[in-house]
Amino acid sequence: MELARQALVEDGAAADSLLTVSIYRRRKIIRLSLDGAHSAGRRGSHWYSEHQALARLLSQAVGVTVHSYVYDPQEYEEVMAFGRGQHVGGERLLYDEVELPECLDGEFDDEAFARMQARWPLGHLAWVYGVERDLLLELHRVPTTRLKLNGTESEPPLEHLLRGIAA
């Protein structure tokens, strides 16, 4: 929680922001996001592209690689990786720059498109985690807990939510 508060300050987000925690226990995937007025709507996805303090701080404090991703279904998808507090990799794909293959039979079906998306940044990240790309895109819909970061409430404690995840 303290790292999330520090990230709020570094990223210039409002103090009344929330830490949203979504956990996919089957693959031990934890989605953390700083949610508030800054992250609402399409503009919010763009905010996350430029504000990576939480991922950077977590990677340094916990000693693991932290992946951060942004998905704007109309414009782009981006994955960034942080290790030991440093940006260590990532990729951005602008959808208007994607070249669809020319098919001999003139058909490019949904299955072929899904195989193509599997090679895009979110598809590769899904492969790293051992899940489908669609799961990453819907991760914000799994059971979610919102924790206030302004120091007034912390129920349930974050440690309780993460019990059994760390290995």
Side-chain angles (χ1 to χ4, degrees):
M1 292 296 289
E2 186 55 40
L3 290 176
R5 288 184 193 100
Q6 185 179 345
L8 281 179
V9 171
E10 286 188 29
D11 281 338
D16 64 346
S17 297
L18 302 170
L19 177 65
T20 301
V21 182
S22 305
I23 302 172
Y24 184 66
R25 292 188 179 278
R26 199 160 143 212
R27 297 298 300 167
K28 296 184 177 185
I29 299 172
I30 303 166
R31 177 187 174 271
L32 301 174
S33 64
L34 297 173
D35 290 336
H38 64 273
S39 63
R42 186 167 178 226
R43 181 178 48 108
S45 64
H46 293 253
W47 184 89
Y48 284 113
S49 275
E50 301 298 323
H51 298 88
Q52 300 297 318
L54 182 58
R56 185 179 44 74
L57 292 169
L58 280 171
S59 74
Q60 186 172 29
V62 182
V64 298
T65 301
V66 174
H67 294 92
S68 174
Y69 64 90
V70 176
Y71 175 68
D72 177 337
Q74 298 171 7
E75 192 174 337
Y76 71 101
E77 62 187 62
E78 179 176 26
V79 173
M80 295 150 280
F82 295 83
R84 296 184 179 169
Q86 303 294 317
H87 182 260
V88 295
E91 181 180 9
R92 176 186 275 199
L93 176 83
L94 300 172
Y95 296 139
D96 63 357
E97 294 179 2
V98 172
E99 292 184 32
L100 297 176
E102 301 251 350
C103 297
L104 295 176
D105 59 7
E107 290 206 20
F108 188 67
D109 61 11
D110 290 343
E111 194 174 303
F113 188 62
R115 283 193 306 272
M116 186 176 183
Q117 287 179 309
R119 294 187 306 269
W120 294 357
L122 283 172
H124 179 73
L125 181 60
W127 177 81
V128 168
Y129 287 154
V131 298
E132 297 295 320
R133 183 179 192 275
D134 289 342
L135 182 106
L136 287 182
L137 296 176
E138 296 298 319
L139 199 55
H140 65 284
R141 297 184 195 271
V142 301
T144 296
T145 302
R146 295 176 177 268
L147 303 170
K148 292 184 179 181
L149 291 171
N150 61 5
T152 59
E153 295 178 28
S154 180
E155 289 295 326
L158 184 56
E159 294 79 16
H160 175 74
L161 293 172
L162 300 179
R163 188 173 291 136
I165 296 294

